[in-house]
Amino acid sequence: MLPLEPTNTDKHTNKPITRRKLLASLSAAGVLLATGAGFTGEAQAAVTVPVVNTNTWWYNVKDFGAQGNDRNDQDDSPFIQAAINAAAITGGTVYLPAGKYMIKTGLFLRSKVHLLGAGVEASILKAGLVNMQMVTCSSQVKQASVEGLTFEGIGSVTSSVTTLVERGIHILESSFIRISKCLFKGIANGVHLVRSEHVTVQDCSFISILAGTSVYEGYGVTAEGGANHSIQGNHFKSMSRSCIQLTAGCSYSLVAGNVMEACLEGAITLSSKLSVCMYNVIKGNTVTAFGLIDKETSCTYGIRLKDACSYNHIVNNSVTRSTFAGIQLEAVDNAGDDRPYGNVITGNKIDTSVRGIAVLNGTVNSLMANEVRRVELGILIDTTGEGNASIAKQNVVTGNSLFQCSTSAVKIGSARCQSNMVHSNSGFDNGAGLSDSGTDTVTVGF
């Protein structure tokens, strides 16, 4: 069980929370148990450990020597690490009062430790060196959390061909971790999860996430493998790459209620080969064109599923003014089994793009009850490449509302599109209802 959160009156303010209020909020923390295993390569903890009232399980980093005074010639990391290590003995809360804490060595979070700031823009962790993993959970950390902190990068991006790039929080093979009410800004990556389970990223903001030529930079939240994550209620703005990326077989996760604006690439991306990304729910997210000038786009793709993505549900999302497609499912030429299969796309609203919803080399996907407006092609079923495995078959397009599709409301693109079903769709002001170049297409209505 994690320590209780601050009261609602303190949740949405940048004012420092008083120690009395915070101690009152932690009255149930005595149930936490100890773990405290060591890590190789962590920040060297300060030698002097103050006397702490262990009845409160409360550790203020300033009692351990941290300054938080935004001085480049100082390093607060050993003192913050010392507080984390002390809290790990019994479990408890490590509190960072208002201030900007310069860290020049990555911090290692322990099991059953709650890292708590005084609120975003009040308590700030500032990277002091390039390519830092600012806070890391690894080696089977369990039941830990980070709340109310700003993670500020050094602002330098790279051309690195390795995965050692700047990250706010890096979670490796850990479980039951909660990240809430944090801000990530001017940093190369926000949160990166690797082979972890039951991680929650909630009510956070990701602003100006940067990237150079490295393919590992520019992401808000990346979940690489693992399962059962919850990414909800976050805000993403001015993103160099995807706001949210599920990859390498990440499954059984929920991505819901997030708001995304000004993305240079896809807003939400599921991408995997060999190990299937499956049974994820992408629900109620909004990709907005708010604040964009005329003809400027909000993203390249609103939601994009690439290669081995199966049985995912894409439900009730809204995508406005994407460049190429609101929602696209795709596989490369001769993908074999590494293709989108059995996904359900329903209740989504797409407004202004080249394509509303596209399925390229996908099989047995259902596109139902979506609303598409002001595009060239409303719904496209087609193939890419010339190989024998470049096929799109047995997809169902039904009950969709399609308006102002200048070329066609529904298009079946080639003879390698086999046995697809198109029926009971409706709409007005379309260049054509159904343009069918497929083989054995089943049609009722258009």
Side-chain angles (χ1 to χ4, degrees):
M1 178 178 178
L2 293 172
L4 297 178
E5 297 181 356
T7 62
N8 287 334
T9 57
D10 296 319
K11 282 183 179 180
H12 303 297
T13 174
N14 291 336
K15 295 181 180 179
I17 304 170
T18 66
R19 186 172 187 274
R20 177 177 294 177
K21 289 181 180 180
L22 284 163
L23 288 175
S25 75
L26 298 170
S27 58
V31 299
L32 300 175
L33 302 177
T35 52
F39 293 92
T40 303
E42 65 187 70
Q44 180 63 44
V47 175
T48 303
V49 179
V51 176
V52 178
N53 181 357
T54 56
N55 290 327
T56 63
W57 290 275
W58 174 263
Y59 305 85
N60 188 320
V61 298
K62 290 197 171 182
D63 293 337
F64 289 75
Q67 299 297 311
N69 56 12
D70 191 21
R71 286 182 54 176
N72 290 327
D73 61 338
Q74 293 185 346
D75 181 8
D76 285 321
S77 51
F79 309 107
I80 299 172
Q81 189 66 57
I84 292 171
N85 294 349
I89 297 172
T90 57
T93 293
V94 173
Y95 178 55
L96 286 80
K100 183 176 283 191
Y101 298 85
M102 186 70 63
I103 59 171
K104 297 183 179 179
T105 308
L107 304 172
F108 281 75
L109 195 58
R110 310 293 198 188
S111 293
K112 299 182 181 178
V113 172
H114 183 43
L115 190 62
L116 177 65
V120 297
E121 300 289 21
S123 297
I124 301 169
L125 286 178
K126 170 66 176 177
L129 295 174
V130 298
N131 295 344
M132 284 186 62
Q133 321 285 298
M134 295 178 69
V135 172
T136 295
C137 297
S138 65
S139 189
Q140 306 300 319
V141 169
K142 295 182 179 179
Q143 298 182 5
S145 65
V146 181
E147 180 178 349
L149 285 170
T150 292
F151 290 80
E152 185 176 322
I154 202 167
S156 176
V157 294
T158 70
S159 58
S160 174
V161 296
T162 74
T163 59
L164 297 177
V165 295
E166 184 178 69
R167 295 189 178 100
I169 299 177
H170 184 70
I171 300 176
L172 172 64
E173 297 177 349
S174 298
S175 59
F176 298 99
I177 310 297
R178 177 168 58 88
I179 302 164
S180 61
K181 303 179 183 70
C182 290
L183 168 63
F184 301 83
K185 68 175 185 178
I187 194 168
N189 290 282
V191 179
H192 191 98
L193 320 177
V194 181
R195 297 186 299 277
S196 296
E197 295 187 354
H198 297 284
V199 177
T200 295
V201 182
Q202 187 169 3
D203 298 330
C204 294
S205 294
F206 300 80
I207 310 296
S208 297
I209 305 301
L210 309 171
T213 58
S214 171
V215 297
Y216 301 106
E217 293 177 337
Y219 300 95
V221 180
T222 296
E224 184 179 338
N228 297 302
H229 303 311
S230 175
I231 304 169
Q232 293 195 73
N234 304 289
H235 178 213
F236 301 83
K237 184 176 181 179
S238 299
M239 305 292 299
S240 295
R241 294 201 167 90
S242 291
C243 302
I244 300 170
Q245 177 180 240
L246 308 184
T247 187
C250 179
S251 298
Y252 297 97
S253 295
L254 174 65
V255 177
N258 301 284
V259 176
M260 289 148 277
E261 53 182 310
C263 311
L264 295 182
E265 294 188 1
I268 300 174
T269 302
L270 278 64
S271 177
S272 192
K273 289 182 178 293
L274 302 179
S275 182
V276 183
C277 278
M278 62 195 322
Y279 297 114
N280 299 291
V281 176
I282 315 298
K283 181 179 180 181
N285 301 283
T286 300
V287 182
T288 175
F290 176 77
L292 299 180
I293 62 175
D294 187 38
K295 295 185 179 180
E296 190 174 16
T297 57
S298 61
C299 58
T300 53
Y301 300 89
I303 301 170
R304 191 180 191 187
L305 277 60
K306 298 173 62 179
D307 301 321
C309 298
S310 297
Y311 306 113
N312 302 285
H313 280 64
I314 316 299
V315 183
N316 296 342
N317 301 281
S318 176
V319 181
T320 302
R321 216 191 293 182
S322 56
T323 305
F324 302 118
I327 299 172
Q328 182 158 303
L329 286 61
E330 64 183 272
V332 297
D333 185 14
N334 285 324
D337 292 333
D338 289 342
R339 65 176 66 243
Y341 183 96
N343 300 285
V344 175
I345 317 297
T346 185
N348 302 282
K349 293 185 178 181
I350 313 297
D351 191 343
T352 311
S353 185
V354 175
R355 302 165 176 170
I357 303 173
V359 177
L360 308 175
N361 288 355
T363 300
V364 197
N365 301 287
S366 297
L367 286 61
M368 305 179 298
N370 301 285
E371 181 181 307
V372 179
R373 295 177 182 272
R374 290 185 285 267
V375 298
E376 291 183 18
L377 288 171
I379 294 175
L380 172 66
I381 307 295
D382 207 348
T383 60
T384 59
E386 301 296 331
N388 292 332
S390 294
I391 55 175
K393 64 180 182 179
Q394 298 175 341
N395 300 285
V396 176
V397 180
T398 183
N400 299 283
S401 298
L402 306 157
F403 303 92
Q404 296 175 282
C405 304
S406 59
T407 300
S408 183
V410 179
K411 180 177 179 179
I412 310 298
S414 75
R416 293 195 304 278
C417 299
Q418 303 169 5
S419 303
N420 296 283
M421 178 177 287
V422 181
H423 68 86
S424 303
N425 301 285
S426 62
F428 302 98
D429 298 329
N430 301 303
L434 171 62
S435 300
D436 183 14
S437 299
T439 302
D440 298 327
T441 303
V442 178
T443 60
V444 177
F446 76 83

